[in-house]
């Protein structure tokens, strides 16, 4: 689940000042790059959390799945992605966590220290759900994308099934805007 990450250089000076991103950051163009840069600039000042507690104050993005709205926390840095939804005891039905990686690759997740049963949607750049994986709490079982993806959305287990959302469905929102 952990991957190295380079933030886009948009605007690079502001990103460095706000997040301490090194000069080797890659330039990312298009709507995704603008969105990613805005997320980095909007990071809460004290977003470093104690290792044992849940991360509750990440930046957010609104996504849609048909007529359904999703309020997703955004796990953008390697540390945020590694911690994910660990230690959360509950999560509202319309909320989730969107994991953003710098480039598409096979993504694999596990549930170490994660107390909630979740479903992971592995999502292509255009918002198409590649595959869905139900994950049991506090296990080390690996749940992987069927092909390389840049995004993974974790929701409470059963959320996608209750809404009739399956692989092949498209999600909407800023991260999936056409370039």
């Amino acid at each position: 689940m952990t991957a190295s990450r380079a933030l886009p250089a948009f605007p690079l000076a502001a990103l460095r000042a706000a997040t301490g991103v090194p000069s080797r950051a890659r330039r990312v163009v298009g709507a995704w790059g603008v969105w990613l840069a805005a997320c980095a600039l909007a990071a809460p000042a004290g977003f470093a959390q104690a290792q044992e507690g849940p991360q509750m104050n990440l930046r957010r993005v609104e996504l849609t799945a048909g007529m359904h709205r999703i309020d997703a926390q955004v796990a953008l840095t390697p540390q945020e992605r590694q911690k994910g939804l660990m230690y959360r005891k509950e999560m509202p039905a319309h909320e989730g966590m969107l994991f953003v990686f710098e480039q598409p690759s096979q993504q694999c997740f596990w549930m170490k220290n994660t107390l909630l049963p979740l479903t992971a949607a592995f999502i292509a750049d255009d918002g198409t759900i590649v595959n869905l994986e139900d994950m049991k709490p506090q296990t080390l079982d690996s749940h992987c994308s069927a092909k390389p993806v840049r995004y993974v959305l974790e929701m409470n287990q059963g959320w996608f099934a209750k809404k009739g959302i399956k692989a092949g469905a498209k999600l909407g929102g800023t991260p999936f805007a056409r370039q």
Side-chain angles (χ1 to χ4, degrees):
M1 172 161 106
T2 303
S4 63
R5 174 183 155 277
L7 283 175
F10 183 86
L12 188 54
L15 283 175
R16 281 189 200 130
T19 64
V21 174
S23 61
R24 64 183 178 273
R26 291 187 296 133
R27 176 181 275 319
V28 178
V29 296
W32 183 81
V34 172
W35 175 80
L36 190 60
C39 283
L41 291 173
F47 70 90
Q49 308 261 333
Q51 189 67 6
E52 299 78 32
Q55 47 187 1
M56 302 295 291
N57 297 316
L58 298 179
R59 63 203 77 50
R60 293 180 177 268
V61 65
E62 183 173 316
L63 305 175
T64 58
M67 64 182 207
H68 307 286
R69 186 182 76 72
I70 301 164
D71 179 16
Q73 287 184 295
V74 180
L76 194 59
T77 69
Q79 296 81 10
E80 291 168 350
R81 291 190 303 252
Q82 184 176 15
K83 191 166 189 182
L85 289 168
M86 287 182 179
Y87 310 109
R88 292 278 303 259
K89 294 180 181 175
E90 59 185 15
M91 185 169 61
H94 70 284
E95 289 188 15
M97 184 171 283
L98 181 67
F99 296 79
V100 181
F101 296 86
E102 66 279 356
Q103 61 188 353
S105 63
Q106 184 180 44
Q107 306 299 339
C108 293
F109 282 56
W110 63 358
M111 296 287 284
K112 180 180 178 181
N113 298 320
T114 306
L115 309 174
L116 303 170
L118 300 171
T119 300
F122 296 94
I123 307 166
D125 283 356
D126 68 353
T128 302
I129 297 174
V130 172
N131 62 300
L132 295 164
E133 292 285 328
D134 286 337
M135 303 184 296
K136 293 180 183 177
Q138 301 192 52
T139 63
L140 298 179
D141 300 339
S142 191
H143 304 276
C144 301
S145 59
K147 68 179 194 176
V149 297
R150 186 186 320 260
Y151 305 101
V152 180
L153 175 64
E154 288 182 343
M155 298 290 290
N156 286 312
Q157 194 169 100
W159 187 89
F160 293 100
K162 288 176 191 170
K163 310 287 190 234
I165 299 167
K166 300 178 180 180
K170 281 189 107 170
L171 301 182
T174 307
F176 315 121
R178 296 208 180 262
Q179 309 272 327

